[in-house]
Amino acid sequence: MVYGRIFFSLRKEIDTEWVFVDGSYVRCHQHASGARLGEDRAIGQSRGGATTKIHLSCDADGYPLDFKITGGEVHDSQVAGELIEMIGQADYFIADKGYDSEVIRDKARSNGMIPIILKRANAKKPNPDFDRYLYKLRHLVENMFARLKHFRSIATRYEKLARNFKSMLYLASTIIHCKMN
């Protein structure tokens, strides 16, 4: 995708000591439906209606690294492996309870990352790698979602096709990144 290459060439040197991952829902406008069959739409049905989910990874400074968009019904843990592959190399992989899985932890460890993922309340095994201070810094990825949703086209998805919405996300990420430098 052209926007992706432009975005990645414009950003400054990234700090991948800590990498934060999370997902956020975006409500789809009623005019976002109706794309041709066979085209990727990334619109799913959930309790709130038609939604898209943005799975985002941020670096230690809160800059966006990469993202994936899916339908709203897709759980965070289903996309975690792809996000870890997109990140490549980092020291710490920090995520919330939605990513609590030994498969995800093993995938992060195999890429040289230490997983900092809060265990669910019903977990049987202890979590020796958990660092409370690093987990509290997860607000950086939440702040990035708040910044992205300041853009009207991101907050309420109007695009029919996933590639168009992804292009808008790249454009918004580029604008945010340029303002932060």
Side-chain angles (χ1 to χ4, degrees), residues 20 44 147 150 164-165:
F20 305 96
R147 285 189 202 122
H150 281 206
N164 296 346
F165 183 64

Side-chain angles (χ1 to χ4, degrees), residues 108-133:
R109 286 185 190 112
S110 69
N111 284 359
M113 300 180 220
I114 299 171
I116 308 293
I117 303 171
L118 186 65
K119 288 276 194 181
R120 285 186 231 128
N122 62 353
K124 305 269 191 260
K125 292 182 179 180
N127 194 359
D129 292 334
F130 187 73
D131 185 349
R132 192 165 300 282
Y133 173 74

Side-chain angles (χ1 to χ4, degrees), residues 73-87:
E73 76 282 354
V74 177
H75 193 267
D76 292 338
S77 62
Q78 294 174 330
V79 182
E82 293 176 54
L83 282 175
I84 291 171
E85 291 296 323
M86 286 181 191
I87 292 166

Side-chain angles (χ1 to χ4, degrees), residues 75-176:
H75 193 267
D76 292 338
S77 62
Q78 294 174 330
V79 182
E82 293 176 54
L83 282 175
I84 291 171
E85 291 296 323
M86 286 181 191
I87 292 166
Q89 183 182 1
D91 294 340
Y92 294 94
F93 177 79
I94 304 163
D96 62 2
K97 290 180 189 180
Y99 297 89
D100 181 23
S101 165
E102 282 305 314
V103 174
I104 295 171
R105 283 188 173 85
D106 291 340
K107 180 82 169 174
R109 286 185 190 112
S110 69
N111 284 359
M113 300 180 220
I114 299 171
I116 308 293
I117 303 171
L118 186 65
K119 288 276 194 181
R120 285 186 231 128
N122 62 353
K124 305 269 191 260
K125 292 182 179 180
N127 194 359
D129 292 334
F130 187 73
D131 185 349
R132 192 165 300 282
Y133 173 74
L134 289 178
Y135 186 75
K136 285 182 181 180
L137 293 176
R138 250 184 15 83
H139 70 87
L140 293 171
V141 71
E142 302 293 346
N143 294 348
M144 181 49 60
F145 279 122
R147 285 189 202 122
L148 282 172
K149 289 183 178 182
H150 281 206
F151 294 90
R152 183 173 175 228
S153 181
I154 305 300
T156 305
R157 179 181 168 175
Y158 295 101
E159 291 78 17
K160 292 180 185 289
L161 299 178
R163 66 181 162 96
N164 296 346
F165 183 64
K166 197 170 187 178
S167 298
M168 292 304 296
L169 276 168
Y170 277 121
L171 186 60
S173 297
T174 304
I175 291 169
I176 288 170

